[in-house]
Amino acid sequence: MSLTLALRVAPQVPMEAEALTFDRVADLSESDIAALPLLHGNEKAAVGDFFKVSGRANGEVHLEGDLGRVKYLGAGMSRGRLVIHGNAGMHLGSAMIGGEILVKGNAGDWVGPEMLGGRIIITGNAGHMVGSAHRGGTIGMRGGEIIIHGNAGNETGNGMRNGLIAIGGNSGDFTGVNMRAGTIMALGGLGWRSGAGMVRGSIVSMQPAELLPTFSYDCDYRPVYLRLYLLYLRELGMAVEDAWIEGEYRRYSGDSVELNRGEILLLNRQKLS
Amino acid sequence: MAENIRTVEHATCTFCGCVCDDMNLTVDLDKHCITKAENACVLGKAWFAEHTIENRPAATIDGREVGVDEAVEEAARILVNARFPIIYGLSDTTCEAQREALAIGDLIHGTIDTTTSVCHGPSGIAFQGVGESTMTLGEVKNRADLVIFWGGNPGEAHPRLFSRYAVTTKGMYIPNGKKDRYIVSVDVRRTQSTPVANLFIQVKPGADFELLWALRALVRGRRLDPSVEERTGVKLDTMKQLVERMKTCRYGVLFFGMGLTMTRGRHFNSGALLALATDLNEFTHFVAKPVRGHGNVTGADNVVSWTTGYPFGVNLSRGYPRFNPGEFTTVDTLSRGDADAALIIASDPAANFPKAAIEHLHRIPVIALDPKATETGKLARVAFCTATYGINVGGTVYRMDDVPITLRPAFESPYPSDQEVLTAIKNRVRELLNKKAKPKEARKAA
Ligand code: SF4
């Protein structure tokens, strides 16, 4: 039996729960886990005040209930697997180092901000600032993977330095803004002004997009690495069409206001067989 | 002069961010009103004329008239028992009152936000991310030979900005006033400010970022796709001419308004403009400044910044400040239903916030301080009628260029000032917190 924390008292105000990460709870008894600290608004509380704890971690920790108001789940996690059966609040997997977080629901803003490694999978939608830098920071996620099956909000991958963000649906405005490197794949559409201020890195979409005038067309080609990425996403359960794997992509380079070494690849839909 | 008439020289108008401090007021002390406001613009005249002593209770609880002390007690009780209390408003009161509000926020580990978050909050984010090449309005008056207004209509909203500082006024190195300046207006439509401009650039709605980005590319000599004309509605030649003028002026200014900060792109729009000013400093002296609305919104930014390190949207739940617009800004904390109590000072969110936020205000205990009867005051559990800053109350306010200015009040009010009410609440909050040795038990008992 794996360790399960089931929400029994819904938080009245936002809750901050860095304690709910695999590393912190994996080796503890039920009573020790129940005594771990939480912050309920401005008031100190304990895990046991809100969660029923049962079982022992066997490589996985399960959180049950609507945790849409619970922030910092899996923050700084370095190993193991955290499965959230329901929605997750803001700052999910903040500065995460390793392991995997699976959310069977939606996630709030700031999924995996300044993440260093590991993998976050969201079966539903995510809010703004996925894999981004915190406000005032310049470097977003530096490694790892964020896989979102639904849509993501604005500023996905703001300041991203490395790693992969894949979005099955649409990504909002300013996707990959100020991006340093790494890959963002928005299989649905891109919002306005994608790649603004990007230095390097790749932004990929299967839909047409209006690009900033500081991006310029280079060529149509079939990037080999994209096939590998798409096959990998298909393995992870994302709906990837054969035509995307075989298809040709229009390459635009930018942002010329910066180094002009970034690329946006848009599936050339006219050449789809 | 009759005995009941008083004149106040060098008084300050706190209606808009210009904070003009050259008002000569004639005050009828019997009628408790200002009969003449020399030097004031049409907005300032209306501001001074509308303030008299209203016949309202100084304090109410659930609409029932009570003494100020009883209301202070109830307000303190609400704040101490809240788990996610928010403090909001602050831009139409003195810095002294703002400091007291911050002190309360610190004591109750609350979330502090100002009206900046719904006007130039995006600029606040951009300042942190991009930086700001800044100045005082005195420098603009004496040195600026190129003045660009972007996404604002100061002609109507800040009428004396043109005549005191930025367009017609003569300065030390601008001896001929308007003749020595080149004025550019960038907006989505013609406004009352347009006629002062030597060049009006009409940008398509929602394309400010693209235009600013294109100007940045031109300033830096980078590649630019010709589609920019179609996207922005501005000819490439016009952009090139403007860039040439910007690079060759002696002292350039970019004033920007909410047409930039509150349209799609928000802080990136402000950030693009600030970055353009920074780019231009490779060639000449160029500065950028948001044109601020409320009389002391700049003071609110300053007080919150010097107290917490951040200008707005600051959370103190953990006992130390954290800044995160979107998470801790008031529209968001209300719309998501996060806040469980609200202290609103000199602002009326119940009249102008989104529906979800207003609905939540109806669900939680609200404490409101305002000289006027407001929608927020109507729904508040505890409402205080306070004296008006600048008219009845002295203190300090900040002009939009971060210059502090002292207020010279015109006549006395029977109502307490915001500062007095907030100090009383703060003192009572402190006493209650000291009594709360075991906070959880005390709350359960309450
Ligand atoms: S410009 Fe603003 S501060 Fe000056 S008098 Fe007019 S309203 Fe008052």
Side-chain angles (χ1 to χ4, degrees):
Chain A
M1 180 191 181
S2 59
L3 176 63
T4 301
L5 284 82
L7 189 71
R8 58 180 183 82
V9 178
Q12 299 298 304
V13 292
M15 176 185 281
E16 299 186 13
E18 288 104 320
L20 298 184
T21 166
F22 184 89
D23 307 50
R24 290 289 296 278
V25 301
D27 304 320
L28 298 182
S29 67
E30 289 178 7
S31 56
D32 285 346
I33 293 169
L36 286 172
L38 300 172
L39 195 67
H40 184 219
N42 56 15
E43 187 177 80
K44 285 184 181 137
V47 169
D49 295 340
F50 293 89
F51 291 89
K52 181 176 181 296
V53 186
S54 56
R56 264 197 104 79
N58 59 355
E60 284 191 353
V61 173
H62 293 261
L63 301 178
E64 292 178 354
D66 185 355
L67 306 179
R69 266 210 163 137
V70 184
K71 302 177 184 176
Y72 292 102
L73 293 168
M77 191 163 120
S78 70
R79 64 193 171 98
R81 191 161 190 253
L82 185 67
V83 183
I84 299 164
H85 302 265
N87 298 330
M90 291 180 185
H91 306 288
L92 174 82
S94 173
M96 181 180 175
I97 300 163
E100 180 176 291
I101 299 174
L102 168 63
V103 179
K104 295 182 175 179
N106 300 322
D109 301 336
W110 284 281
V111 170
E114 302 188 5
M115 172 178 180
L116 299 165
R119 184 194 290 153
I120 299 175
I121 300 173
I122 317 279
T123 62
N125 301 322
H128 304 302
M129 315 291 296
V130 172
S132 73
H134 288 299
R135 291 281 177 229
T138 51
I139 306 292
M141 76 185 273
R142 291 164 201 235
E145 299 165 8
I146 302 178
I147 314 293
I148 296 159
H149 288 261
N151 302 318
N154 297 338
E155 295 185 54
T156 297
N158 182 342
M160 180 177 182
R161 180 71 186 77
N162 211 337
L164 167 69
I165 299 176
I167 298 152
N170 298 323
S171 184
D173 293 351
F174 289 96
T175 297
V177 62
N178 298 331
M179 193 172 171
R180 304 309 206 244
T183 304
I184 299 176
M185 302 182 70
L187 303 182
L190 289 168
W192 285 15
R193 300 156 183 169
S194 292
M198 79 188 287
V199 180
R200 291 189 180 83
S202 304
I203 299 172
V204 185
S205 177
M206 303 304 148
Q207 300 296 330
E210 186 174 9
L211 302 183
L212 286 169
T214 46
F215 281 77
S216 48
Y217 171 71
D218 294 324
C219 63
D220 282 15
Y221 78 132
R222 291 186 165 80
V224 176
Y225 84 92
L226 211 52
R227 294 169 64 92
L228 300 175
Y229 269 67
L230 288 165
L231 289 168
Y232 176 64
L233 293 181
R234 183 182 269 177
E235 250 176 58
L236 290 176
M238 290 192 109
V240 173
E241 295 175 19
D242 287 341
W244 303 350
I245 297 168
E246 305 299 332
E248 196 170 82
Y249 290 80
R250 312 211 83 191
R251 184 187 194 275
Y252 297 84
S253 60
D255 186 335
S256 71
V257 163
E258 293 295 336
L259 213 54
N260 207 45
R261 296 279 169 84
E263 64 174 8
I264 296 184
L265 298 169
L266 301 177
L267 180 69
N268 188 345
R269 303 189 73 81
Q270 285 161 357
K271 292 208 180 157
L272 289 182
S273 47
Chain B
M1 186 174 285
E3 240 176 71
N4 59 348
I5 299 294
R6 177 186 174 202
T7 55
V8 183
E9 291 189 342
H10 308 302
T12 302
C13 173
T14 52
F15 182 73
C16 85
C18 285
V19 191
C20 298
D21 55 353
D22 58 347
M23 305 286 116
N24 292 330
L25 305 179
T26 306
V27 186
D28 186 327
L29 293 173
D30 284 343
K31 291 184 181 156
H32 299 292
C33 65
I34 295 162
T35 53
K36 194 171 166 205
E38 207 181 301
N39 293 337
C41 71
V42 59
L43 298 177
K45 283 193 164 72
W47 163 256
F48 285 116
E50 75 167 12
H51 281 96
T52 55
I53 299 300
E54 294 179 26
N55 187 19
R56 289 172 55 210
T60 59
I61 296 178
D62 290 326
R64 173 177 54 87
E65 184 170 350
V66 296
V68 170
D69 288 349
E70 190 181 338
V72 165
E73 180 69 26
E74 177 65 1
R77 194 191 63 78
I78 290 168
L79 294 172
V80 166
N81 285 323
R83 292 189 180 98
F84 202 97
I86 59 168
I87 297 176
Y88 176 74
L90 295 170
S91 54
D92 272 323
T93 191
T94 61
C95 292
E96 290 77 3
Q98 291 163 352
R99 287 179 68 163
E100 295 301 308
L102 263 292
I104 293 171
D106 193 14
L107 285 170
I108 60 174
H109 289 193
T111 297
I112 295 153
D113 189 32
T114 72
T115 58
T116 285
S117 67
V118 293
C119 61
H120 272 282
S123 309
I125 299 173
F127 292 150
Q128 195 192 34
V130 181
E132 182 190 20
S133 310
T134 187
M135 68 351 181
T136 64
L137 291 175
E139 281 180 74
V140 174
K141 172 184 171 176
N142 288 314
R143 295 175 187 277
D145 59 343
L146 174 62
V147 183
I148 301 172
F149 295 99
W150 198 305
N153 181 10
E156 273 182 281
H158 303 76
R160 295 187 79 216
L161 184 65
F162 287 170
S163 56
R164 280 194 98 193
Y165 304 110
V167 178
T168 50
T169 185
K170 292 175 182 167
M172 198 181 293
Y173 303 106
I174 309 288
N176 303 308
K178 172 88 164 62
K179 280 190 202 138
D180 288 341
R181 290 193 181 92
Y182 192 81
I183 311 294
V184 180
S185 169
V186 185
D187 214 329
V188 294
R189 61 178 168 279
R190 300 187 84 84
T191 66
Q192 208 164 300
S193 303
T194 313
V196 304
N198 302 84
L199 173 66
F200 172 62
I201 297 177
Q202 187 159 7
V203 60
K204 280 187 181 171
D208 296 271
F209 182 86
E210 281 73 8
L211 181 55
L212 285 162
W213 222 237
L215 293 174
R216 283 195 70 199
L218 290 171
V219 167
R220 293 177 147 214
R222 303 290 168 81
R223 278 200 297 190
L224 192 59
D225 194 278
S227 66
V228 68
E229 290 193 348
E230 168 62 23
R231 178 72 187 91
T232 61
V234 181
K235 290 260 176 284
L236 201 51
D237 275 351
T238 308
M239 293 183 210
K240 285 179 179 164
Q241 282 164 17
L242 177 61
V243 163
E244 199 46 37
R245 199 171 274 281
M246 288 195 287
K247 284 161 76 171
T248 53
C249 73
R250 276 184 297 134
Y251 187 114
V253 190
L254 278 156
F255 282 112
F256 59 107
M258 282 167 61
L260 199 63
T261 64
M262 281 293 146
T263 50
R264 194 164 165 181
R266 292 176 175 235
H267 55 285
F268 289 114
N269 296 343
S270 307
L273 183 136
L274 295 172
L276 174 63
T278 304
D279 292 344
L280 285 162
N281 276 281
E282 293 260 328
F283 304 93
T284 184
H285 190 85
F286 229 98
V287 294
K289 185 57 75 185
V291 180
R292 305 306 302 273
H294 293 281
N296 198 24
V297 69
T298 309
D301 288 0
N302 275 275
V303 175
V304 180
S305 293
W306 84 50
T307 312
T308 70
Y310 306 106
F312 66 98
V314 180
N315 174 269
L316 294 157
S317 288
R318 294 187 178 217
Y320 57 84
R322 290 179 296 167
F323 170 63
N324 204 9
E327 184 176 6
F328 301 130
T329 30
T330 305
V331 168
D332 306 281
T333 54
L334 287 175
S335 300
R336 279 196 303 265
D338 290 349
D340 63 350
L343 170 60
I344 312 286
I345 301 132
S347 179
D348 194 11
N352 53 39
F353 267 24
K355 188 165 170 262
I358 296 172
E359 281 170 2
H360 192 64
L361 276 174
H362 281 277
R363 286 194 286 268
I364 59 173
V366 173
I367 302 148
L369 278 69
D370 210 295
K372 296 279 176 194
T374 63
E375 291 300 313
T376 307
K378 272 188 225 165
L379 66 78
R381 168 85 57 84
V382 183
F384 293 93
C385 177
T386 52
T388 307
Y389 81 134
I391 307 268
N392 317 118
V393 181
T396 311
V397 297
Y398 276 70
R399 204 167 63 188
M400 67 170 81
D401 56 348
D402 299 288
V403 171
I405 289 173
T406 303
L407 299 178
R408 292 187 176 82
F411 59 91
E412 286 192 0
S413 163
Y415 299 111
S417 67
D418 291 331
Q419 186 191 359
E420 285 166 338
V421 172
L422 291 168
T423 305
I425 294 174
K426 178 190 75 176
N427 291 338
R428 189 61 191 135
V429 162
R430 187 178 280 135
E431 285 169 11
L432 290 175
L433 285 172
N434 286 341
K435 274 190 205 164
K436 268 177 91 173
K438 290 183 181 172
K440 256 171 121 179
E441 282 71 11
R443 181 167 297 150
K444 275 176 193 158

Coordinates of all heavy atoms in Angstrom, one line a residue, chain B residues 202-253:
Chain B
Q202 N -0.7 57.2 -35.2 CA -1.9 56.4 -34.8 C -1.6 54.9 -34.9 O -1.4 54.4 -36.1 CB -3.1 56.8 -35.6 CG -4.4 56.1 -35.2 CD -5.6 56.8 -35.6 OE1 -5.6 57.7 -36.4 NE2 -6.8 56.4 -35.1
V203 N -1.4 54.2 -33.8 CA -1.1 52.8 -33.8 C -2.4 52.0 -33.8 O -3.3 52.4 -33.1 CB -0.1 52.5 -32.7 CG1 -0.7 52.8 -31.3 CG2 0.4 51.0 -32.7
K204 N -2.4 50.9 -34.4 CA -3.6 50.0 -34.3 C -3.8 49.5 -32.9 O -2.8 49.2 -32.2 CB -3.4 48.8 -35.2 CG -3.6 49.0 -36.7 CD -3.6 47.7 -37.5 CE -3.8 47.9 -39.0 NZ -3.6 46.7 -39.7
P205 N -5.0 49.4 -32.5 CA -5.3 48.9 -31.1 C -4.6 47.6 -30.9 O -4.7 46.7 -31.8 CB -6.8 48.8 -31.0 CG -7.3 49.8 -32.1 CD -6.3 49.8 -33.2
G206 N -3.9 47.4 -29.8 CA -3.3 46.2 -29.5 C -2.0 45.9 -30.2 O -1.4 44.8 -30.2
A207 N -1.4 47.0 -30.8 CA -0.1 46.8 -31.5 C 1.0 47.7 -30.9 O 2.0 47.9 -31.6 CB -0.3 47.1 -33.0
D208 N 0.8 48.2 -29.7 CA 1.8 49.0 -29.1 C 3.1 48.3 -28.9 O 4.2 48.8 -29.2 CB 1.4 49.6 -27.7 CG 0.2 50.5 -27.8 OD1 0.4 51.7 -28.0 OD2 -0.9 49.9 -27.8
F209 N 3.0 47.0 -28.5 CA 4.2 46.3 -28.2 C 5.0 46.1 -29.5 O 6.2 46.3 -29.6 CB 3.9 44.9 -27.6 CG 5.1 44.1 -27.3 CD1 5.8 44.2 -26.1 CD2 5.6 43.2 -28.2 CE1 6.9 43.5 -25.8 CE2 6.8 42.4 -28.0 CZ 7.4 42.6 -26.7
E210 N 4.3 45.7 -30.6 CA 4.9 45.5 -31.9 C 5.6 46.8 -32.4 O 6.8 46.7 -32.9 CB 3.9 45.1 -32.9 CG 3.5 43.6 -32.8 CD 2.6 43.3 -31.7 OE1 2.1 44.2 -31.0 OE2 2.4 42.1 -31.4
L211 N 5.0 47.9 -32.2 CA 5.6 49.2 -32.6 C 6.8 49.5 -31.8 O 7.9 49.9 -32.3 CB 4.6 50.3 -32.5 CG 5.0 51.7 -32.9 CD1 5.6 51.7 -34.4 CD2 3.9 52.7 -32.8
L212 N 6.7 49.3 -30.5 CA 7.9 49.6 -29.6 C 9.0 48.6 -29.9 O 10.2 49.0 -30.0 CB 7.5 49.4 -28.1 CG 6.6 50.5 -27.5 CD1 5.9 50.1 -26.3 CD2 7.5 51.7 -27.2
W213 N 8.7 47.4 -30.2 CA 9.7 46.4 -30.5 C 10.4 46.8 -31.9 O 11.6 46.6 -32.0 CB 9.0 45.0 -30.6 CG 9.8 43.9 -30.0 CD1 10.2 42.8 -30.5 CD2 10.3 43.9 -28.6 NE1 10.9 42.0 -29.6 CE2 11.0 42.6 -28.4 CE3 10.2 44.7 -27.5 CZ2 11.6 42.2 -27.2 CZ3 10.8 44.3 -26.3 CH2 11.4 43.1 -26.2
A214 N 9.6 47.2 -32.8 CA 10.1 47.6 -34.1 C 11.1 48.8 -33.9 O 12.1 48.9 -34.5 CB 9.0 48.0 -35.1
L215 N 10.7 49.8 -33.1 CA 11.5 50.9 -32.8 C 12.8 50.5 -32.2 O 13.9 51.0 -32.5 CB 10.8 52.0 -31.9 CG 9.6 52.6 -32.6 CD1 8.9 53.5 -31.5 CD2 10.0 53.5 -33.8
R216 N 12.7 49.5 -31.3 CA 14.0 49.0 -30.6 C 14.9 48.4 -31.7 O 16.1 48.6 -31.7 CB 13.6 47.9 -29.6 CG 13.1 48.5 -28.3 CD 13.1 47.4 -27.2 NE 14.5 47.1 -26.8 CZ 14.9 46.0 -26.2 NH1 14.0 45.1 -25.9 NH2 16.2 45.9 -25.9
A217 N 14.3 47.6 -32.6 CA 15.1 47.0 -33.6 C 15.8 48.0 -34.5 O 16.9 47.9 -34.8 CB 14.2 46.0 -34.5
L218 N 15.0 49.1 -34.9 CA 15.6 50.1 -35.7 C 16.7 50.9 -35.0 O 17.7 51.2 -35.5 CB 14.5 51.1 -36.1 CG 13.5 50.6 -37.1 CD1 12.3 51.5 -37.3 CD2 14.2 50.3 -38.5
V219 N 16.5 51.2 -33.7 CA 17.5 51.9 -32.9 C 18.8 51.0 -32.9 O 19.9 51.5 -33.0 CB 17.0 52.1 -31.5 CG1 18.1 52.6 -30.5 CG2 15.9 53.2 -31.5
R220 N 18.6 49.7 -32.7 CA 19.8 48.8 -32.6 C 20.3 48.4 -34.0 O 21.2 47.6 -34.1 CB 19.4 47.6 -31.8 CG 19.1 47.9 -30.4 CD 18.7 46.6 -29.7 NE 19.1 46.7 -28.3 CZ 19.5 45.6 -27.6 NH1 19.5 44.4 -28.1 NH2 19.9 45.8 -26.3
G221 N 19.6 48.8 -35.1 CA 20.1 48.5 -36.4 C 19.9 47.0 -36.8 O 20.7 46.4 -37.4
R222 N 18.8 46.4 -36.3 CA 18.5 45.0 -36.5 C 17.5 44.8 -37.6 O 16.8 45.7 -38.0 CB 18.0 44.4 -35.2 CG 19.0 44.6 -34.0 CD 20.3 43.7 -34.2 NE 21.3 44.1 -33.2 CZ 21.3 43.7 -32.0 NH1 20.4 42.9 -31.5 NH2 22.3 44.0 -31.2
R223 N 17.4 43.5 -37.9 CA 16.4 43.1 -39.0 C 15.0 43.3 -38.6 O 14.6 43.1 -37.4 CB 16.6 41.6 -39.3 CG 17.8 41.4 -40.3 CD 17.6 40.0 -40.9 NE 17.6 38.9 -39.9 CZ 17.7 37.6 -40.3 NH1 17.7 37.3 -41.5 NH2 17.7 36.7 -39.4
L224 N 14.2 43.8 -39.5 CA 12.8 44.1 -39.2 C 12.0 43.6 -40.4 O 12.2 44.0 -41.5 CB 12.6 45.6 -39.0 CG 11.3 46.0 -38.4 CD1 11.1 45.4 -37.0 CD2 11.3 47.5 -38.2
D225 N 11.0 42.8 -40.1 CA 10.1 42.3 -41.2 C 9.2 43.4 -41.7 O 8.5 44.1 -40.8 CB 9.3 41.1 -40.7 CG 8.7 40.3 -41.8 OD1 7.6 40.8 -42.3 OD2 9.3 39.3 -42.2
P226 N 9.0 43.6 -43.0 CA 8.1 44.7 -43.5 C 6.7 44.5 -43.0 O 5.9 45.5 -43.1 CB 8.3 44.6 -45.0 CG 9.4 43.7 -45.2 CD 9.7 42.9 -44.0
S227 N 6.3 43.3 -42.6 CA 4.9 43.1 -42.1 C 4.6 44.0 -41.0 O 3.4 44.2 -40.6 CB 4.7 41.7 -41.8 OG 5.5 41.4 -40.6
V228 N 5.6 44.7 -40.4 CA 5.3 45.5 -39.2 C 4.4 46.7 -39.6 O 3.6 47.1 -38.7 CB 6.7 46.1 -38.7 CG1 7.3 47.0 -39.6 CG2 6.5 46.7 -37.3
E229 N 4.4 47.1 -40.8 CA 3.5 48.2 -41.3 C 2.1 47.8 -41.1 O 1.2 48.5 -40.6 CB 3.8 48.6 -42.7 CG 5.1 49.3 -42.8 CD 5.3 50.0 -44.2 OE1 4.4 49.8 -45.1 OE2 6.2 50.8 -44.4
E230 N 1.8 46.6 -41.6 CA 0.4 46.0 -41.6 C 0.0 45.8 -40.2 O -1.2 46.1 -39.8 CB 0.4 44.7 -42.5 CG -0.8 43.9 -42.3 CD -2.1 44.6 -42.8 OE1 -2.0 45.5 -43.6 OE2 -3.2 44.2 -42.3
R231 N 0.9 45.3 -39.4 CA 0.5 44.9 -38.0 C 0.3 46.1 -37.1 O -0.6 46.1 -36.3 CB 1.7 44.1 -37.4 CG 1.4 43.7 -35.9 CD 0.4 42.6 -35.8 NE 0.0 42.3 -34.4 CZ -0.9 42.9 -33.8 NH1 -1.7 43.9 -34.3 NH2 -1.2 42.6 -32.5
T232 N 1.1 47.2 -37.3 CA 0.9 48.3 -36.4 C 0.1 49.5 -37.0 O -0.3 50.4 -36.3 CB 2.3 48.9 -36.1 OG1 3.0 49.3 -37.3 CG2 3.2 47.9 -35.4
G233 N 0.0 49.5 -38.4 CA -0.7 50.6 -39.0 C 0.2 51.8 -39.2 O -0.3 52.9 -39.5
V234 N 1.5 51.7 -38.9 CA 2.4 52.8 -39.0 C 3.4 52.5 -40.1 O 4.0 51.4 -40.2 CB 3.1 53.0 -37.6 CG1 4.1 54.2 -37.7 CG2 2.1 53.2 -36.5
K235 N 3.7 53.5 -40.9 CA 4.6 53.4 -42.0 C 6.0 53.2 -41.5 O 6.4 53.9 -40.5 CB 4.6 54.6 -42.9 CG 3.2 54.7 -43.7 CD 3.5 54.2 -45.1 CE 2.2 54.2 -46.0 NZ 1.3 53.1 -45.7
L236 N 6.8 52.4 -42.2 CA 8.2 52.1 -41.8 C 9.0 53.4 -41.8 O 9.8 53.7 -41.0 CB 8.8 51.1 -42.7 CG 10.0 50.3 -42.2 CD1 9.9 49.8 -40.8 CD2 10.4 49.2 -43.2
D237 N 8.7 54.3 -42.8 CA 9.4 55.6 -43.0 C 9.1 56.4 -41.7 O 10.0 57.1 -41.3 CB 8.9 56.3 -44.2 CG 9.7 55.8 -45.4 OD1 10.7 55.1 -45.3 OD2 9.3 56.2 -46.6
T238 N 7.9 56.4 -41.3 CA 7.5 57.2 -40.1 C 8.4 56.7 -38.9 O 8.9 57.5 -38.1 CB 6.0 57.1 -39.8 OG1 5.3 57.4 -40.9 CG2 5.6 58.0 -38.6
M239 N 8.4 55.4 -38.8 CA 9.2 54.8 -37.7 C 10.7 55.2 -37.8 O 11.3 55.6 -36.8 CB 9.2 53.3 -37.7 CG 7.8 52.7 -37.4 SD 7.9 50.9 -37.4 CE 6.3 50.4 -38.0
K240 N 11.2 55.2 -39.0 CA 12.6 55.5 -39.2 C 12.9 57.0 -38.8 O 13.9 57.3 -38.2 CB 13.1 55.2 -40.6 CG 13.3 53.7 -40.9 CD 13.7 53.5 -42.3 CE 13.9 52.0 -42.5 NZ 13.9 51.6 -43.9
Q241 N 12.0 57.8 -39.3 CA 12.1 59.3 -39.0 C 12.1 59.5 -37.4 O 12.8 60.3 -36.9 CB 11.0 60.1 -39.6 CG 11.3 60.3 -41.1 CD 10.0 60.7 -41.9 OE1 9.0 61.2 -41.2 NE2 10.0 60.6 -43.2
L242 N 11.1 58.8 -36.8 CA 11.0 59.0 -35.3 C 12.3 58.5 -34.7 O 12.8 59.2 -33.7 CB 9.8 58.2 -34.8 CG 9.6 58.3 -33.3 CD1 9.4 59.7 -32.8 CD2 8.4 57.4 -32.8
V243 N 12.8 57.4 -35.1 CA 14.0 56.8 -34.5 C 15.2 57.8 -34.7 O 16.0 58.1 -33.8 CB 14.4 55.4 -35.1 CG1 15.8 55.0 -34.8 CG2 13.4 54.4 -34.5
E244 N 15.3 58.4 -35.9 CA 16.4 59.4 -36.1 C 16.2 60.5 -35.2 O 17.2 61.0 -34.6 CB 16.3 59.8 -37.6 CG 17.5 60.4 -38.2 CD 18.8 59.7 -37.9 OE1 18.8 58.4 -37.8 OE2 19.8 60.3 -37.6
R245 N 15.0 61.0 -35.0 CA 14.8 62.1 -34.1 C 15.1 61.8 -32.7 O 15.7 62.6 -31.9 CB 13.3 62.6 -34.2 CG 13.1 64.0 -33.7 CD 11.6 64.4 -34.1 NE 11.5 65.0 -35.4 CZ 11.8 66.2 -35.7 NH1 12.4 67.0 -34.8 NH2 11.6 66.7 -36.9
M246 N 14.8 60.6 -32.3 CA 15.1 60.1 -30.9 C 16.6 60.0 -30.7 O 17.1 60.4 -29.6 CB 14.4 58.8 -30.6 CG 12.9 58.8 -30.5 SD 12.1 57.4 -29.8 CE 12.3 56.2 -31.1
K247 N 17.3 59.5 -31.7 CA 18.7 59.3 -31.5 C 19.5 60.6 -31.5 O 20.6 60.7 -31.0 CB 19.3 58.4 -32.6 CG 18.9 56.9 -32.4 CD 19.0 56.1 -33.6 CE 20.4 55.7 -34.0 NZ 20.4 54.7 -35.1
T248 N 18.9 61.7 -32.2 CA 19.7 62.9 -32.3 C 19.2 64.0 -31.4 O 19.7 65.1 -31.5 CB 19.6 63.4 -33.8 OG1 18.2 63.5 -34.2 CG2 20.3 62.5 -34.7
C249 N 18.2 63.8 -30.6 CA 17.7 64.8 -29.7 C 18.8 65.0 -28.6 O 19.6 64.2 -28.4 CB 16.3 64.5 -29.1 SG 16.4 63.2 -27.9
R250 N 18.6 66.1 -27.8 CA 19.6 66.4 -26.7 C 19.1 65.6 -25.5 O 19.9 65.1 -24.7 CB 19.7 67.9 -26.4 CG 20.7 68.5 -27.4 CD 20.9 70.0 -27.0 NE 19.6 70.7 -27.2 CZ 19.1 71.6 -26.3 NH1 19.7 71.8 -25.2 NH2 18.0 72.2 -26.6
Y251 N 17.8 65.7 -25.3 CA 17.2 65.1 -24.0 C 15.8 64.7 -24.4 O 14.9 65.5 -24.7 CB 17.2 66.2 -22.9 CG 16.8 65.7 -21.6 CD1 17.7 65.7 -20.5 CD2 15.5 65.2 -21.3 CE1 17.3 65.2 -19.3 CE2 15.1 64.8 -20.1 CZ 16.0 64.8 -19.0 OH 15.7 64.3 -17.8
G252 N 15.6 63.4 -24.4 CA 14.3 62.9 -24.8 C 13.5 62.2 -23.6 O 14.1 61.7 -22.7
V253 N 12.2 62.4 -23.7 CA 11.4 61.8 -22.6 C 10.3 61.0 -23.3 O 9.6 61.4 -24.2 CB 10.6 62.9 -21.8 CG1 10.0 62.3 -20.6 CG2 11.6 64.0 -21.4

